């Protein structure tokens, strides 16, 4: 059994994916803008991830923009039959590399067609609508209008499943009244655990939870994490990922990298055996703040 198969699969709608996947965001240039410094290395990372058993790739056409999806197409098309590519819409890149909201119906429809074209597919497996607004009222209106657009594209056969990104529980609940939601992408890691209750609620409803910034925050500097990693002869990043895999059965990981060495390190996280004591110590990291 390959390491990525160890924790089984979870369904994105009717699409089974292995719980340790790959996030393609960092394949483009610095700041997720422009071409990669080493195009051949970027292609090699994608091919090795799939060869290692990864069948869930997270991307967006505004990464680059367009470049990351073009790399995925060049490296992997025609795609393996079990490969699930999840993309997101709701943002665009300014000429200076800034990330801007792109949430009008016209912009969302264009984004779907950009993803279709650059990935060279007839239907997108999963499209996440990303909330770009801090203001709850503005975000709620955007999500309602955006999901209405996506649901129409789904009826047209251009989108198979729909998810949400950077959203609150109330926004998810409202969104589910418009269409089925198969996954939620929010910030979550050892140090940032405000979604603990949400993860469990989504698990009860068989909805996937996909943490972004799974290695972010102060936690990787925590002495608790360092000590657990030392005992396991592992890196702190591997331990943090292994903890996430054990957090709940609906948690799907998409750690990203443009390095083959880092990719192999991330995938090896599935091989770690965390004891109950280690898990308890890691559970407490978020309350320590100073490590």
């Amino acid at each position: 059994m390959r390491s990525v198969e160890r924790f089984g699969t979870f369904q994105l709608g009717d699409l089974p994916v292995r719980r340790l996947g790959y996030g393609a965001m960092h394949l483009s240039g610095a700041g997720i803008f422009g071409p990669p410094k080493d195009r051949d290395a970027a292609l090699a990372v994608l091919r090795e991830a799939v060869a290692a058993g990864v069948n869930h790739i997270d991307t967006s056409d505004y990464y680059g923009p367009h470049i990351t999806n073009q790399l995925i197409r060049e490296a992997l098309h025609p795609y393996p039959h079990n490969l699930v590519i999840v993309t997101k819409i709701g943002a665009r890149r300014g000429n200076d590399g800034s990330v801007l909201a792109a949430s009008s119906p016209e912009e969302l429809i264009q984004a779907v067609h950009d993803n279709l074209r650059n990935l060279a597919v007839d239907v997108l497996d999963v499209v996440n609508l990303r909330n770009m607004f801090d203001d709850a009222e503005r975000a709620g209106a955007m999500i309602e209008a955006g999901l209405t657009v996506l649901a129409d594209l789904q009826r047209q056969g251009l989108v198979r499943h729909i998810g949400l990104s950077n959203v609150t529980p109330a926004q998810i609940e409202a969104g589910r009244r418009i269409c089925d939601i198969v996954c939620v992408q929010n910030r979550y890691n050892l140090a940032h655990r405000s979604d603990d209750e949400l993860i469990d609620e989504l698990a009860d409803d068989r909805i996937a939870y996909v943490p972004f910034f799974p290695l972010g925050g102060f936690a990787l500097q925590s002495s608790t994490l360092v000590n657990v990693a030392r005992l396991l002869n592992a890196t702190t990043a591997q331990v943090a990922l292994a903890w996430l895999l054990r957090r709940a059965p609906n948690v799907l990981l998409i750690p990203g990298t443009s390095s083959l060495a880092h990719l192999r390190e991330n995938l090896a996280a599935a091989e770690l055996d965390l004891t109950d004591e280690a898990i308890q110590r890691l559970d407490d990291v978020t309350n320590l703040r100073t490590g």
Side-chain angles (χ1 to χ4, degrees), residues 21-42:
Y22 173 73
M25 182 173 70
H26 294 289
L27 289 182
S28 56
I32 324 302
F33 192 67
K37 183 177 180 180
D38 188 336
R39 187 179 185 87
D40 289 340

Side-chain angles (χ1 to χ4, degrees), residues 78-154:
Y79 303 115
H81 74 279
N82 67 336
L83 180 65
V84 176
I85 300 176
V86 178
T87 190
K88 66 177 65 63
I89 62 175
R92 64 180 177 86
R93 303 307 295 268
N95 293 334
D96 59 353
S98 56
V99 181
L100 307 170
S103 57
S104 71
E106 295 78 15
E107 288 172 316
L108 296 177
I109 291 169
Q110 183 61 53
V112 165
H113 284 279
D114 287 344
N115 277 279
L116 288 165
R117 181 182 66 256
N118 285 310
L119 288 169
V121 294
D122 295 323
V123 57
L124 298 172
D125 293 326
V126 183
V127 176
N128 289 320
L129 177 64
R130 193 185 197 286
N131 168 32
M132 295 292 294
F133 302 104
D134 292 330
D135 178 79
E137 183 174 346
R138 193 177 183 194
M142 182 279 293
I143 291 167
E144 181 178 356
L147 289 180
T148 299
V149 169
L150 274 176
D152 184 55
L153 293 170
Q154 187 179 47

Side-chain angles (χ1 to χ4, degrees), residues 135-232:
D135 178 79
E137 183 174 346
R138 193 177 183 194
M142 182 279 293
I143 291 167
E144 181 178 356
L147 289 180
T148 299
V149 169
L150 274 176
D152 184 55
L153 293 170
Q154 187 179 47
R155 287 188 289 271
Q156 294 177 37
L158 300 179
V159 173
R160 191 165 184 173
H161 297 296
I162 297 169
L164 286 168
S165 178
N166 196 36
V167 286
T168 66
Q171 291 163 352
I172 297 167
E173 182 179 356
R176 292 179 70 186
R177 291 195 287 268
I178 298 171
C179 62
D180 289 336
I181 300 297
V182 301
C183 59
V184 171
Q185 281 193 4
N186 276 358
R187 182 185 178 195
Y188 185 84
N189 51 57
L190 269 171
H192 189 280
R193 297 183 55 188
S194 59
D195 272 358
D196 267 336
E197 184 176 349
L198 175 62
I199 289 173
D200 297 331
E201 291 173 353
L202 293 176
D204 289 341
D205 289 337
R206 302 297 297 168
I207 296 173
Y209 184 93
V210 186
F212 60 70
F213 297 134
L215 302 176
F218 86 101
L220 293 188
Q221 311 305 319
S222 162
S223 61
T224 300
L225 183 56
V226 170
N227 289 336
V228 170
R230 185 178 298 117
L231 288 172
L232 293 172

Side-chain angles (χ1 to χ4, degrees), residues 19-26 45 49 54 56 58 210-215 237 241 244-245 252-258 262-263 265-267 269:
R19 293 185 53 219
L20 184 52
Y22 173 73
M25 182 173 70
H26 294 289
V45 166
V54 167
H56 171 204
D58 182 83
V210 186
F212 60 70
F213 297 134
L215 302 176
L241 291 173
L244 284 167
L245 283 169
L252 304 180
L253 298 190
I254 50 168
T257 179
S258 59
H262 192 197
L263 172 71
E265 177 185 312
N266 288 342
L267 296 182

